[in-house]
Amino acid sequence: GQSLEQPSEVTAVEGAIVQINCTYQTSGFYGLSWYQQHDGGAPTFLSYNALDGLEETGRFSSFLSRSDSYGYLLLQELQMKDSASYFCAPRDGGATNKLIFGTGTLLAVQP
Amino acid sequence: DTEVTQTPKHLVMGMTNKKSLKCEQHMGHRAMYWYKQKAKKPPELMFVYSYEKLSINESVPSRFSPECPNSSLLNLHLHALQPEDSALYLCASSQEAFPEAFFGQGTRLTVV
């Protein structure tokens, strides 16, 4: 079976740092992606971790611990435009292209 | 061109109608996906095509019928839908076994 857990909502203020956690249980695991989706918009790719450790892309960083089946997305210097839903998405076993989304975290950035 | 184009943007159909959703990409991606998304829920995987062959069907009811006529096009044929099938239908594409998927803006479907 497969289970993915994220906090349902997070609230933070502009300029702050926020961490969105993801725990996963999958039958096969190749890596962990993160996607952002604004209300009414399409999901857009943010980052990917295939190996343990931190990947940094501008204000966004993503971390993976394969042994703990755990990852997180770190958003720094929060801006109002970061208000969106964030999904972790483990990728199954390489060749199967099975991209399943986590439960999602709604981030509200306040002034 | 990093766009995935979906048509129509909005669709209202009766339960006895037959309609099709269309998706097109010109990025040379060989994996294409259909997702269904209800309000305030994550996208739910329905089908995956790999090199124009259906590789994953997530136990989707037969009233949804996917088709991949060529490497750039993906269709979703709809027949005898139920009101609970009303949702946003998202198409996506990616390079084969690559983590970054590109999504279209979706078709907002209402079944009446």
Side-chain angles (χ1 to χ4, degrees), chain A residues 35 37 42 48 91 94 97 99 102, chain B residues 33 35 37 42 96-99 101 104:
Chain A
Y35 284 80
Q37 186 179 28
Y48 178 69
R91 187 166 277 272
N97 296 317
L99 184 63
Chain B
Y33 313 73
Y35 287 84
Q37 187 175 27
E96 181 67 23
F98 208 68

Side-chain angles (χ1 to χ4, degrees), chain B residues 44-69:
Chain B
E44 183 183 326
L45 184 64
M46 300 174 72
F47 303 104
V48 181
Y49 273 81
S50 179
Y51 290 93
E52 299 155 54
K53 291 193 182 338
L54 183 65
S55 61
I56 296 175
N57 176 343
E58 291 285 278
S59 303
V60 178
S62 59
R63 59 186 184 269
F64 296 92
S65 175
E67 178 197 20
C68 190

Side-chain angles (χ1 to χ4, degrees), chain A residues 4-49:
Chain A
L4 296 162
E5 290 189 17
Q6 299 178 233
S8 57
E9 292 184 22
V10 173
T11 302
V13 297
E14 272 189 299
I17 299 173
V18 73
Q19 179 174 311
I20 298 173
N21 298 321
C22 170
T23 57
Y24 61 87
Q25 268 190 314
T26 60
S27 54
F29 181 79
Y30 197 69
L32 189 68
S33 298
W34 288 90
Y35 284 80
Q36 177 192 62
Q37 186 179 28
H38 286 98
D39 192 27
T44 56
F45 174 83
L46 292 176
S47 69
Y48 178 69
N49 295 72

Side-chain angles (χ1 to χ4, degrees), chain B residues 16-85:
Chain B
T16 59
N17 291 159
K18 282 186 183 181
K19 295 287 185 185
S20 297
L21 310 184
K22 296 187 183 302
C23 174
E24 190 167 2
Q25 56 89 14
H26 295 288
M27 294 176 277
H29 291 168
R30 303 314 295 266
M32 296 187 76
Y33 313 73
W34 280 115
Y35 287 84
K36 172 183 175 180
Q37 187 175 27
K38 295 278 224 178
K40 302 191 185 306
K41 295 289 187 185
E44 183 183 326
L45 184 64
M46 300 174 72
F47 303 104
V48 181
Y49 273 81
S50 179
Y51 290 93
E52 299 155 54
K53 291 193 182 338
L54 183 65
S55 61
I56 296 175
N57 176 343
E58 291 285 278
S59 303
V60 178
S62 59
R63 59 186 184 269
F64 296 92
S65 175
E67 178 197 20
C68 190
N70 61 55
S71 60
S72 299
L73 292 174
L74 187 66
N75 297 323
L76 186 63
H77 303 297
L78 314 173
H79 172 55
L81 294 194
Q82 304 297 309
E84 58 265 28
D85 296 321

